[in-house]
């Protein structure tokens, strides 16, 4: 039986959603559902995104809301103009609210964690990590190759009142990881996918016992590089790993020792 296609009003559409109409107030999108599973996934995301942020300062929450507005407009663009061989240097390409909250929970659960983020972009995931680091008394070191993205992220983190919890580094992640003296308790891997395995090989010797690694985009866009990363991380000695259906699919791994 063919299901009817309902029409819904949503905000922050999922990246795979289609047929948007941006309303005049620029905050509400009309989105025609293509399947019930995507509707379920989306209503779930909405619920999580709208959760109260009890532990978050008002200034942090305000910057997060601004990021969500920008994300909403970015995701409303047709896919061709986001990916059609053109530069993506202006795009957030952010992990999204579900993965952000997971990162925040993990970071805030660790005691004085040293956190490494590979792929700052405009600082969305950095904000979730930094807020967790604040609660746990830790610090985020975040690496981005593009100066303008890192500068924007730094400004947002300052506006969020989290500047004491983040060190921004501009440069190539592979070279920068090698130069870092500290060991890490949490790593977010979210840069170009062909660098996932080379980066893993570089930061693996710098993991503390019990360290957690979160790698984004394993299911969407997924592909060979994501699969190779999953194989590589699961083969590392002392590593447990599982793919979780959060956001675009995250591989969450724990280094025992
Ligand atoms: C998917 S985006 C990161 C999104 C970000 N984590 C968030 O959730 O807001 C990937 C970023 O990795 C950066 N990047 C790609 N290759 C890199 C490299 N070799 N070294 C440092 N950054 C790199 C890109 O410039 C881009 O900003």
């Amino acid at each position: 039986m063919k299901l009817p296609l309902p029409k819904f009003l949503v905000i922050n559409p999922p990246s795979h959603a289609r047929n948007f109409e941006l309303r005049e107030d620029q905050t509400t999108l009309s989105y025609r559902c293509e399947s019930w599973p995507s509707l379920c996934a989306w209503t779930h995301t909405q619920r999580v995104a709208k959760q109260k942020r009890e532990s978050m300062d008002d200034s942090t929450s305000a910057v997060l809301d601004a990021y969500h507005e920008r994300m909403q407009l970015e995701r409303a663009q047709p896919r061709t103009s986001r990916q059609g061989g053109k530069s993506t240097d202006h795009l957030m390409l952010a992990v999204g609210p579900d993965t952000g909250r997971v990162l925040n929970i993990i970071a805030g659960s660790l005691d004085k964690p040293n956190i490494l983020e590979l792929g700052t972009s405009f600082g969305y995931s950095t904000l979730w990590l930094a807020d967790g680091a604040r609660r746990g008394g830790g610090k985020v070191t975040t690496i981005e190759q593009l100066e303008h993205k890192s500068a924007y992220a730094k400004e947002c983190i300052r506006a969020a009142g989290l500047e004491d919890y983040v060190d921004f580094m501009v440069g190539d992640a592979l070279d920068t990881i090698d130069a870092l003296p500290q060991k890490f308790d949490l790593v977010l891997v979210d840069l170009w996918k062909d660098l996932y395995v080379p980066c893993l090989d570089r930061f693996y010797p710098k993991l503390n016992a019990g360290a957690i690694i979160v790698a984004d985009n394993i299911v969407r866009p997924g592909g060979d590089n994501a699969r190779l990363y999953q194989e590589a991380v699961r083969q590392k000695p002392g590593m447990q790993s599982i793919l979780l259906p959060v956001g675009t699919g995250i591989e969450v791994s724990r280094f025992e020792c």
Side-chain angles (χ1 to χ4, degrees), residues 7-13 18-32 68-78:
K7 200 165 187 184
F8 295 91
L9 290 179
V10 299
I11 56 169
N12 290 346
R18 296 283 184 281
N19 301 335
F20 299 101
E21 292 162 28
L22 194 56
R23 279 158 46 128
E24 276 176 13
D25 62 2
Q26 300 276 300
T27 60
T28 307
L29 288 155
S30 136
Y31 155 49
R32 187 170 284 279
H68 285 154
E69 276 184 34
R70 181 172 173 168
M71 192 183 302
Q72 170 185 311
L73 294 173
E74 180 175 311
R75 291 184 177 186
Q77 299 301 310

Side-chain angles (χ1 to χ4, degrees), residues 166-232:
V166 186
D167 282 335
F168 290 91
M169 309 196 78
V170 178
D172 178 64
L174 290 170
D175 298 337
T176 313
I177 294 167
D178 283 343
L180 293 171
Q182 67 269 50
K183 290 196 155 197
F184 292 98
D185 306 289
L186 172 60
V187 181
L188 171 63
V189 187
D190 189 26
L191 65 181
W192 302 153
K193 307 313 158 206
D194 58 330
L195 297 176
Y196 275 32
V197 173
C199 282
L200 170 66
D201 290 337
R202 304 285 176 109
F203 67 68
Y204 176 72
K206 295 175 184 257
L207 294 175
N208 282 323
I212 305 284
I213 307 160
V214 178
D216 195 36
N217 298 117
I218 299 298
V219 176
R220 286 199 317 272
D224 285 349
N225 286 318
R227 186 180 46 74
L228 288 171
Y229 172 80
Q230 283 186 287
E231 286 171 12

Side-chain angles (χ1 to χ4, degrees), residues 75-115:
R75 291 184 177 186
Q77 299 301 310
R79 282 211 156 201
T80 45
S81 71
R82 286 204 277 149
Q83 296 174 339
K86 298 197 179 99
S87 168
T88 55
D89 291 355
H90 61 296
L91 297 178
M92 291 175 72
L93 304 170
V95 294
D98 285 357
T99 299
R101 190 169 285 275
V102 169
L103 294 170
N104 187 261
I105 289 169
I106 297 172
S109 305
L110 299 170
D111 185 30
K112 300 184 182 59
N114 266 333
I115 300 170

Side-chain angles (χ1 to χ4, degrees), residues 10-14 16 31 33 36-51 96-99 101-102 220 244-248:
V10 299
I11 56 169
N12 290 346
H16 58 277
Y31 155 49
C33 248
W36 291 106
S38 72
L39 170 64
C40 294
W42 179 232
T43 50
H44 172 69
T45 302
Q46 282 293 96
R47 198 169 55 245
V48 173
K50 282 178 169 291
Q51 273 181 32
D98 285 357
T99 299
R101 190 169 285 275
V102 169
R220 286 199 317 272
L244 295 182
V246 175
T248 54

Side-chain angles (χ1 to χ4, degrees), residues 153-164:
K154 197 171 188 175
E155 187 54 34
C156 290
I157 293 295
R158 193 198 54 73
L162 295 168
E163 65 270 35
D164 291 345

